[in-house]
Amino acid sequence: MPNPEKTEAVRDKVQAARPLDAFDRKILGELAVDAGLSYAELGNRAGLSAPAVHERVKRLRATGRIRGTVAMLDGPATGKPFLAFVHVDTSGGSKSRTFKALSELPELEEIHSVAGDTCTLLKVRCASSRALEGLLARLYAIPGVKGTRSYVVLSTYLERTPQAGITEALEEEHYEPSTSS
Amino acid sequence: MPNPEKTEAVRDKVQAARPLDAFDRKILGELAVDAGLSYAELGNRAGLSAPAVHERVKRLRATGRIRGTVAMLDGPATGKPFLAFVHVDTSGGSKSRTFKALSELPELEEIHSVAGDTCTLLKVRCASSRALEGLLARLYAIPGVKGTRSYVVLSTYLERTPQAGITEALEEEHYEPSTSS
DNA sequence: CTTGAAAGCTCTGTAAG
DNA sequence: CTTACAGAGCTTTCAAG
């Protein structure tokens, strides 16, 4: 038989960290493509009313699912046609301070610490190869930087923000523990 | 929030458009961080009136400098805590069709063709290492895929959209071609 | 470019079912 | 969750300097 007290007590925590349902996923997916949609239109696409959608979006923002709404700038059209990924090998040195300093440069779009045959991975978008040369010079001036490998992007076929994952395509390959057989 | 019309094939208009001035750069920089700003606030920060800012933003959209406004979703908070970059070595095969097929997967955020010791670079965000395993399995099923190298992201220190480049830091190292004309 | 004003739409909250 | 009703604020356009 059910336990009322326990169910009540757990409910609040569940609400606070409620997993995304199909509506949330749909909303996130739409906003990830176009954040300029009105709540009315968003409601139509998600199958909800405008107030309901508004409430959900507010919650998605408050819980950090939506980090913010930003303008997607076109690199080439804004004077930065040169895109490259730079692998940086380091040994010692203060990563935090280095990363903070790098963040100041508008040319840097991403800084990741990665596992593999390299330590740090940078995404750089700048005006020219000369600008990249300047950036690399700065990198080598940082204590602990042993070497870099640059991958210059020739053409970009896809570039978008995280999708909400309406279709859990890759999840379908999940294994089934043991039940049926 | 404005209701932007879908801009389709406006990429060629960029050439005919005037180069960006300091006002445009400031506006782009602000919108790249927060596209939800009102034109009044945007005007304050840029040092222009609201109608003037509105006119410029409209032009920046029409000329393709602003590709769109999107919601930035938090990967971990939306059920995709696993981020990785995958280098793919290929030989032959139809890239266009392969890339198109890959674009359908919500886990894929970026697809670049690069120069260097690898051919294609992917940015993948998914639910788990198992999901990445599933993606790699699909990759190897594609004719022409010789091998992959995955760089699993341990932590992300910076991740943002292209900045307008208010400060042309790395540009200072530009050479001066010659004269006016 | 500016200021000012007017019209329209969206957001946002409230209320009731 | 839904529909409905308002007030407030912002967008958008127009006019005139």
Side-chain angles (χ1 to χ4, degrees):
Chain A
M1 77 179 174
N3 185 334
E5 292 179 6
K6 206 164 193 177
T7 326
E8 276 288 337
V10 169
R11 182 175 298 176
D12 287 351
K13 292 187 178 180
V14 172
Q15 278 187 342
R18 178 161 34 178
L20 282 60
D21 62 8
F23 288 137
D24 290 323
R25 271 186 229 282
K26 178 64 175 172
I27 291 170
L28 289 174
E30 294 291 339
L31 290 181
V33 175
D34 185 359
L37 290 173
S38 70
Y39 289 120
E41 176 60 24
L42 206 50
N44 287 338
R45 301 191 186 184
L48 291 174
S49 68
V53 165
H54 176 238
E55 195 61 29
R56 281 171 180 269
V57 171
K58 211 164 52 176
R59 192 176 65 227
L60 290 170
R61 287 188 150 282
T63 54
R65 264 74 177 252
I66 298 177
R67 284 169 46 194
T69 71
V70 302
M72 279 195 72
L73 305 186
D74 186 277
T78 52
K80 296 187 179 178
F82 196 91
L83 178 63
F85 290 85
V86 180
H87 290 201
V88 184
D89 295 325
T90 60
S91 69
S94 168
K95 275 196 175 182
S96 315
R97 240 186 331 175
T98 299
F99 290 162
K100 194 172 186 306
L102 289 177
S103 302
E104 306 294 332
L105 300 175
E107 286 80 3
L108 265 171
E109 289 185 13
E110 300 185 25
I111 304 176
H112 304 281
S113 183
V114 301
D117 59 8
T118 191
C119 298
T120 303
L121 203 154
L122 307 178
K123 184 180 180 183
V124 183
R125 194 188 304 272
C126 51
S128 63
S129 56
R130 179 170 289 268
L132 177 61
E133 192 179 6
L135 183 92
L136 292 178
R138 294 192 183 210
L139 286 180
Y140 279 107
I142 296 173
V145 170
K146 287 171 56 184
T148 63
R149 273 189 311 287
S150 297
Y151 297 87
V152 175
V153 172
L154 304 175
S155 59
T156 295
Y157 289 83
L158 177 70
E159 192 169 25
R160 64 184 173 194
T161 54
Q163 301 297 292
I166 306 97
T167 63
E168 296 294 330
L170 296 179
E171 285 300 312
E172 294 171 2
E173 325 214 1
H174 259 0
Y175 64 92
E176 294 289 335
S178 61
T179 53
S180 67
S181 66
Chain B
M1 203 144 333
N3 186 3
E5 293 184 3
K6 293 261 182 175
T7 57
E8 299 196 50
V10 288
R11 212 161 285 277
D12 289 338
K13 284 189 167 186
V14 176
Q15 295 177 351
R18 290 165 10 203
L20 281 62
D21 63 8
F23 288 137
D24 289 324
R25 273 186 226 281
K26 179 63 176 171
I27 291 172
L28 289 175
E30 295 291 342
L31 289 182
V33 175
D34 184 0
L37 289 173
S38 71
Y39 288 118
E41 176 60 24
L42 205 50
N44 288 338
R45 302 192 185 184
L48 291 174
S49 66
V53 165
H54 175 236
E55 195 61 29
R56 281 171 180 267
V57 171
K58 213 162 51 176
R59 192 175 65 227
L60 290 170
R61 287 189 143 281
T63 55
R65 264 74 176 252
I66 299 177
R67 283 168 47 194
T69 73
V70 302
M72 279 194 73
L73 305 186
D74 186 276
T78 52
K80 296 187 179 178
F82 196 91
L83 178 63
F85 291 85
V86 180
H87 290 201
V88 184
D89 296 325
T90 60
S91 69
S94 168
K95 275 197 174 183
S96 315
R97 241 186 329 176
T98 300
F99 289 162
K100 193 171 188 305
L102 289 176
S103 302
E104 306 294 332
L105 300 175
E107 285 80 5
L108 265 170
E109 288 185 13
E110 299 185 24
I111 303 177
H112 304 280
S113 183
V114 302
D117 59 9
T118 190
C119 300
T120 303
L121 203 154
L122 308 178
K123 184 180 180 184
V124 183
R125 193 187 304 272
C126 50
S128 63
S129 56
R130 178 169 290 271
L132 177 61
E133 192 179 4
L135 183 92
L136 293 179
R138 295 195 183 209
L139 286 180
Y140 279 107
I142 295 173
V145 170
K146 288 170 56 184
T148 63
R149 272 189 313 287
S150 298
Y151 297 88
V152 175
V153 172
L154 303 175
S155 58
T156 295
Y157 289 83
L158 178 70
E159 191 171 24
R160 63 184 173 195
T161 55
Q163 300 297 294
I166 306 96
T167 64
E168 296 295 331
L170 297 178
E171 282 301 308
E172 293 170 1
E173 327 210 5
H174 255 4
Y175 63 90
E176 292 292 333
S178 56
T179 62
S180 54
S181 64

